Coordinates of all heavy atoms in Angstrom, one line a residue:
V120 N 6.6 -2.2 12.0 CA 7.0 -1.1 12.9 C 8.0 -0.2 12.2 O 8.9 -0.6 11.4 CB 7.9 -1.6 14.1 CG1 8.3 -0.5 15.1 CG2 7.0 -2.6 15.0
I130 N 17.4 10.1 21.0 CA 16.8 9.6 22.3 C 15.3 9.5 22.2 O 14.7 8.4 22.5 CB 17.1 10.5 23.5 CG1 18.6 10.5 23.7 CG2 16.4 10.1 24.7 CD1 19.1 11.5 24.6
R132 N 12.7 9.0 19.8 CA 12.2 8.5 18.4 C 10.7 8.1 18.5 O 10.3 7.4 19.3 CB 13.1 7.4 18.0 CG 14.5 7.7 17.8 CD 15.4 6.5 17.5 NE 15.1 6.1 16.1 CZ 15.6 5.1 15.6 NH1 16.5 4.4 16.2 NH2 15.3 4.7 14.3
E136 N 3.4 1.6 14.6 CA 3.3 0.2 14.7 C 1.9 -0.3 14.1 O 0.9 0.1 14.6 CB 3.4 -0.4 16.1 CG 3.4 -1.9 16.1 CD 3.7 -2.4 17.5 OE1 4.2 -1.6 18.4 OE2 3.4 -3.6 17.8
V146 N 4.5 8.7 20.5 CA 5.3 9.9 20.4 C 6.1 10.1 21.8 O 5.4 10.2 22.8 CB 4.3 11.2 20.3 CG1 5.1 12.4 20.2 CG2 3.5 11.0 19.0
L149 N 11.1 13.7 26.2 CA 12.2 13.5 27.2 C 11.6 13.0 28.5 O 12.2 12.0 29.1 CB 13.0 14.9 27.5 CG 14.2 14.7 28.3 CD1 15.2 13.8 27.7 CD2 14.8 16.1 28.6
I150 N 10.5 13.5 29.0 CA 9.8 13.0 30.1 C 8.4 12.5 29.7 O 7.6 13.4 29.3 CB 9.7 14.0 31.3 CG1 11.2 14.4 31.7 CG2 8.9 13.5 32.4 CD1 11.2 15.5 32.8
I167 N 1.2 14.5 4.8 CA 2.7 14.5 4.9 C 3.2 15.9 4.6 O 2.9 16.5 3.6 CB 3.4 13.5 4.0 CG1 2.9 12.1 4.3 CG2 4.9 13.6 4.1 CD1 3.5 11.0 3.3
G170 N 10.0 18.2 4.6 CA 11.1 19.2 4.8 C 12.3 18.9 3.9 O 12.1 18.1 2.9
T175 N 7.1 15.2 8.3 CA 6.2 15.1 9.5 C 4.9 14.5 8.9 O 4.4 15.0 7.9 CB 5.9 16.5 10.0 OG1 7.2 17.1 10.5 CG2 4.9 16.5 11.1
I176 N 4.3 13.6 9.7 CA 3.1 12.9 9.3 C 2.0 13.3 10.2 O 2.2 13.2 11.4 CB 3.3 11.4 9.3 CG1 4.5 11.0 8.4 CG2 2.0 10.7 8.8 CD1 4.9 9.5 8.6
R181 N -11.3 10.4 13.2 CA -12.5 10.9 13.4 C -12.8 11.2 14.9 O -12.5 10.4 15.7 CB -13.5 9.9 12.9 CG -13.5 9.6 11.4 CD -14.5 8.6 11.0 NE -14.2 7.8 9.9 CZ -14.1 8.2 8.7 NH1 -14.3 9.4 8.4 NH2 -13.7 7.4 7.7
R183 N -11.4 13.0 17.1 CA -10.3 13.1 18.0 C -9.3 14.1 17.5 O -9.3 14.4 16.3 CB -9.5 11.7 18.1 CG -10.3 10.6 18.9 CD -9.7 9.3 18.8 NE -8.3 9.3 19.3 CZ -7.6 8.2 19.4 NH1 -8.1 7.1 18.8 NH2 -6.4 8.2 19.8
P184 N -8.4 14.7 18.3 CA -7.4 15.6 17.8 C -6.4 14.9 16.9 O -6.2 13.7 17.0 CB -6.7 16.1 19.0 CG -7.2 15.3 20.2 CD -8.4 14.5 19.7
N190 N 10.1 13.6 12.1 CA 11.4 13.1 11.8 C 11.5 11.7 11.1 O 12.4 11.0 11.3 CB 12.3 13.1 13.0 CG 12.4 14.4 13.6 OD1 12.4 15.4 13.0 ND2 12.6 14.5 14.9
G194 N 10.8 8.5 2.4 CA 10.4 7.2 1.9 C 9.5 6.4 2.9 O 8.5 5.8 2.6
A196 N 7.8 7.9 5.3 CA 6.5 8.7 5.4 C 5.6 8.3 4.3 O 4.4 8.0 4.6 CB 6.8 10.2 5.3
I199 N 4.3 4.7 5.1 CA 3.3 4.7 6.2 C 2.0 5.2 5.7 O 0.9 4.6 5.9 CB 3.8 5.6 7.3 CG1 5.0 4.9 8.1 CG2 2.7 5.9 8.3 CD1 5.7 5.8 9.0
L202 N 0.4 2.5 3.4 CA -0.2 1.4 4.3 C -1.4 1.7 5.0 O -2.4 1.0 5.1 CB 0.9 0.9 5.2 CG 2.1 0.1 4.7 CD1 3.1 -0.1 5.8 CD2 1.6 -1.2 4.2
L204 N -3.7 4.2 4.1 CA -4.7 4.4 3.2 C -5.3 3.1 2.5 O -6.4 3.0 2.2 CB -4.4 5.4 2.1 CG -4.1 6.8 2.6 CD1 -3.7 7.7 1.5 CD2 -5.3 7.4 3.3
G211 N -9.5 3.1 0.9 CA -8.5 2.2 0.3 C -8.6 2.1 -1.2 O -7.5 2.0 -1.8
A214 N -8.2 6.5 -2.8 CA -7.1 7.4 -2.6 C -5.7 6.7 -2.5 O -5.7 5.6 -2.1 CB -7.3 8.2 -1.3
V215 N -4.8 7.2 -3.1 CA -3.3 6.8 -2.9 C -2.5 7.7 -3.8 O -2.9 8.3 -4.7 CB -3.1 5.4 -3.3 CG1 -1.7 5.0 -3.3 CG2 -3.8 4.5 -2.3

Side-chain angles (χ1 to χ4, degrees):
V120 178
I130 297 171
R132 296 175 70 181
E136 184 175 343
V146 179
L149 190 57
I150 298 175
I167 297 175
T175 298
I176 305 169
R181 300 181 206 288
R183 290 174 54 182
N190 300 329
I199 290 168
L202 283 171
L204 292 180
V215 170

